[in-house]
């Protein structure tokens, strides 16, 4: 045996053991990353609720079990707010139905044409009443989005008529008729849709529903004028941020990859704006806004687009003024109908600092319930056992469950009570 052979025989038995150790370390590292990224160690829990103890709120929580029972997302990925948000953003929903509706066109005073889709109920409501859900989707969304179709189909089957606003400029096959598109807090098109429903169905009662940006719009609409709350039974807002001015700082942070989401949403907004460049920036007989499109092409955040384009649709002099005037935080305290505000603690788009707004509001106003789930992401809220999500989400069920409870309360409430009256008001009325 040569010295070289002796060295090989001495070293070779140690190599497999070393490689096995490296494999185990690699596997352990991968498992650790998976557990951390998927948040697998996080517990499941019922939503964290903030509300005042009133007869109405006690009835709602008893009659809508989704608000008090444990929300259980899919085991393998459902505890990751990023994956919940990504699945909503990419697929919307699983096995989404195709409800049949009629598109309505409403001319606006400034030459714009608002559109919404109207879906009739697929049966009688359990109370026998005529109830219409007026729905405002998220940013750049419309009635053809999967999460909207899934919710509408579910609500229709429970006896609700649904009217879904198509944000101005969001539908790719509908041309703008004026140099204006939807903004963060403009309520004109939603108000036009609600007005049409009230005129066309004089006996109907309204349930107001808003998703994300739509939640900001519906709460601002109700708080702008007390007359807007007439014939409204309740309002549900899901995953909104409440204050654009306070949110803009968090959207520039890399915490929870918020800056990356900001870039993706900005890119989508650019596509929508540029698809209507002829109507918005030239060639329209109505006066178009005068601006340089250069900053739009290079924009990497929603704030840059808002400052260069969106605020100018309504003549705001600065980005701060635009965010101040278009945020519902300055109007929501005027909402006196029953109001359910839903957010998720792992929503990567809504920073936790913004949640002090609904939490403080619910602690002060007896008509407000704030529900904060541990998981759900941004408009995800998928449910399921291990891997595959169910077609219906917790969000769909809680909105319809809350609406059903409100209808039942209105049907059987004591004479002196309604969603607008507190216990002290009842005592005064009895006296």
């Amino acid at each position: 045996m040569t010295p070289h052979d002796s060295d090989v025989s001495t070293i070779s038995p140690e190599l497999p053991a070393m490689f096995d150790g490296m494999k185990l370390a690699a596997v352990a590292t991968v498992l650790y990353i998976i557990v951390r990224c998927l948040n697998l160690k996080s517990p499941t829990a019922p939503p964290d609720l903030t509300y005042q103890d009133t007869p109405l709120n006690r009835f709602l929580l008893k009659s809508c079990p989704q608000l008090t029972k444990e929300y259980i997302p899919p085991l393998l990925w459902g505890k990751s707010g990023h994956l919940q948000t990504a699945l909503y953003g990419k697929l919307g929903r699983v096995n989404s139905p195709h409800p049949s509706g009629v598109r309505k066109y409403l001319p606006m005073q400034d030459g714009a044409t608002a559109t919404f889709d109207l879906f009739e109920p697929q049966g009688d409501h359990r109370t026998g009443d005529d109830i219409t859900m007026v729905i405002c989707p998220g940013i750049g969304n419309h009635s053809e989005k999967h999460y909207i179709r899934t919710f509408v189909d579910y609500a229709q089957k429970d006896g609700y008529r649904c009217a879904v606003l198509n944000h101005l400029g969001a539908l790719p096959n509908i041309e703008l008729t004026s140099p204006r598109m939807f903004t963060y807090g403009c309520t004109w098109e939603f108000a036009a849709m609600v007005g049409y429903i009230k005129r066309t169905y004089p006996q109907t009662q309204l349930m107001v529903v808003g998703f994300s940006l739509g939640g900001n719009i519906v709460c601002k609409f109700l708080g702008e004028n007390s007359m807007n709350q007439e014939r409204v039974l309740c309002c549900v807002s899901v995953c909104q941020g409440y204050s654009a001015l306070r949110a803009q700082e968090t959207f520039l942070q890399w915490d929870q990859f918020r800056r990356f989401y900001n870039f993706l949403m900005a890119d989508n907004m650019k596509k929508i704006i540029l698809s209507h460049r002829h109507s918005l920036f030239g060639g329209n007989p109505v006066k178009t806004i005068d601006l340089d499109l250069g900053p739009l092409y290079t924009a990497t955040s929603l704030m840059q687009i808002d400052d260069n384009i969106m605020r100018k649709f309504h003549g705001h002099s600065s980005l701060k003024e635009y965010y101040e005037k278009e945020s519902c935080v300055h109007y929501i305290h005027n909402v006196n109908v029953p109001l359910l505000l839903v957010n998720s603690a792992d929503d990567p788009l809504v920073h936790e600092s913004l949640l002090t707004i609904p939490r403080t509001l619910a602690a002060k106003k007896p008509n407000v319930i704030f529900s904060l789930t541990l998981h759900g992401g941004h408009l995800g809220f998928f449910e399921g056992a291990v891997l595959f999500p169910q077609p219906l989400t917790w969000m769909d069920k809680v909105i319809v469950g809350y609406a059903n409870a409100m209808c039942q309360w209105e049907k059987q409430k004591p004479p002196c009570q309604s969603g607008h009256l507190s216990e002290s008001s009842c005592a005064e009325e009895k006296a």
Side-chain angles (χ1 to χ4, degrees):
M1 179 182 296
T2 66
H4 178 72
D5 293 334
S6 176
D7 291 342
V8 171
S9 62
T10 301
I11 296 173
S12 57
E14 297 175 357
L15 290 176
M18 182 177 68
F19 287 136
D20 287 344
M22 293 174 62
K23 290 178 183 177
L24 287 174
V27 169
T29 301
V30 170
L31 289 176
Y32 175 77
I33 293 174
I34 291 174
V35 169
R36 287 297 300 270
C37 290
L38 298 183
N39 207 18
L40 294 177
K41 293 184 67 177
S42 176
T44 57
D48 179 36
L49 300 175
T50 305
Y51 63 96
Q52 289 191 19
D53 186 21
T54 65
L56 173 58
N57 286 342
R58 288 196 296 268
F59 179 85
L60 291 173
L61 295 179
K62 180 180 178 181
S63 304
C64 182
Q66 289 84 9
L67 286 173
T68 54
K69 288 187 176 179
E70 188 177 28
Y71 162 53
I72 304 177
L75 178 63
L76 290 184
W77 55 269
K79 295 178 182 179
S80 167
H82 296 292
L83 289 181
Q84 287 252 19
T85 303
L87 188 58
Y88 145 73
K90 192 66 178 177
L91 297 179
R93 291 295 180 258
V94 178
N95 299 323
S96 178
H98 294 268
S100 178
V102 178
R103 183 152 295 164
K104 302 290 184 179
Y105 299 82
L106 303 175
M108 308 292 290
Q109 290 186 351
D110 67 342
T113 303
T115 69
F116 71 94
D117 285 21
L118 188 62
F119 303 86
E120 292 297 333
Q122 296 182 8
D124 293 335
H125 191 268
R126 63 187 64 196
T127 63
D129 294 330
D130 186 305
I131 313 291
T132 302
M133 286 192 175
V134 283
I135 302 165
C136 192
I139 183 171
N141 290 175
H142 44 73
S143 62
E144 297 174 9
K145 290 294 183 178
H146 288 193
Y147 77 99
I148 295 293
R149 285 169 24 194
T150 299
F151 174 72
V152 165
D153 181 74
Y154 182 52
Q156 278 183 294
K157 291 176 179 176
D158 234 46
Y160 292 96
R161 179 186 298 107
C162 294
V164 183
L165 181 70
N166 300 309
H167 284 301
L168 201 60
L171 282 169
N173 58 336
I174 301 294
E175 290 290 333
L176 294 175
T177 57
S178 77
R180 181 174 67 83
M181 57 181 288
F182 76 92
T183 59
Y184 178 68
C186 179
T187 60
W188 297 353
E189 291 79 51
F190 188 76
M193 180 180 75
V194 171
Y196 175 93
I197 295 297
K198 286 183 176 180
R199 292 190 303 272
T200 307
Y201 305 95
Q203 302 303 317
T204 197
Q205 297 281 80
L206 303 181
M207 301 278 186
V208 179
V209 180
F211 299 101
S212 192
L213 172 140
N216 177 74
I217 289 176
V218 300
C219 289
K220 182 171 177 282
F221 166 75
L222 292 176
E224 283 176 333
N225 191 324
S226 60
M227 294 182 63
N228 293 343
Q229 300 177 48
E230 294 179 357
R231 291 168 57 186
V232 173
L233 289 178
C234 66
C235 174
V236 182
S237 162
V238 184
C239 287
Q240 69 151 307
Y242 306 97
S243 171
L245 189 62
R246 289 167 61 173
Q248 69 165 334
E249 299 174 2
T250 70
F251 259 112
L252 295 175
Q253 300 168 358
W254 280 100
D255 174 51
Q256 292 293 314
F257 300 101
R258 205 168 288 108
R259 184 65 180 86
F260 178 66
Y261 288 107
N262 188 359
F263 172 80
L264 293 179
M265 290 190 292
D267 188 60
N268 186 56
M269 278 299 299
K270 280 197 285 188
K271 292 176 182 177
I272 295 175
I273 293 170
L274 291 173
S275 71
H276 296 289
R277 63 166 69 87
H278 181 72
S279 300
L280 294 174
F281 310 121
N284 194 301
V286 184
K287 185 179 185 302
T288 58
I289 60 175
D290 184 24
L291 46 77
D292 176 16
L293 286 182
L296 174 64
Y297 288 105
T298 59
T300 60
S301 72
L302 286 175
M303 284 71 73
Q304 291 172 318
I305 294 176
D306 288 342
D307 194 23
N308 287 286
I309 306 290
M310 308 305 287
R311 69 174 176 83
K312 298 178 182 180
F313 289 137
H314 294 282
H316 294 297
S317 60
S318 66
L319 184 63
K320 180 180 179 181
E321 179 186 285
Y322 169 67
Y323 284 159
E324 285 278 3
K325 294 292 180 67
E326 302 241 332
S327 296
C328 77
V329 67
H330 304 295
Y331 303 88
I332 197 170
H333 60 278
N334 296 325
V335 179
N336 294 316
V337 299
L339 176 61
L340 175 63
L341 304 173
V342 178
N343 286 95
S344 171
D346 66 354
D347 187 336
L349 304 186
V350 180
H351 191 270
E352 60 182 357
S353 63
L354 299 172
L355 302 181
T356 59
I357 298 171
R359 187 176 288 111
T360 302
L361 186 73
K364 290 182 177 180
K365 289 182 67 71
N367 62 303
V368 181
I369 296 177
F370 174 49
S371 174
L372 181 66
T373 61
L374 198 58
H375 309 109
H378 190 77
L379 296 182
F381 298 104
F382 292 97
E383 291 184 310
V386 179
L387 180 61
F388 298 104
Q390 299 171 2
L392 279 177
T393 68
W394 178 88
M395 178 182 79
D396 303 317
K397 296 173 185 176
V398 79
I399 297 174
V400 172
Y402 179 84
N404 287 340
M406 270 306 310
C407 291
Q408 193 64 36
W409 169 264
E410 288 294 315
K411 203 73 172 176
Q412 66 181 46
K413 68 186 179 186
C416 78
Q417 293 181 345
S418 74
H420 302 262
L421 293 177
S422 64
E423 291 185 72
S424 60
S425 300
C426 276
E428 291 173 5
E429 187 170 317
K430 287 178 182 177

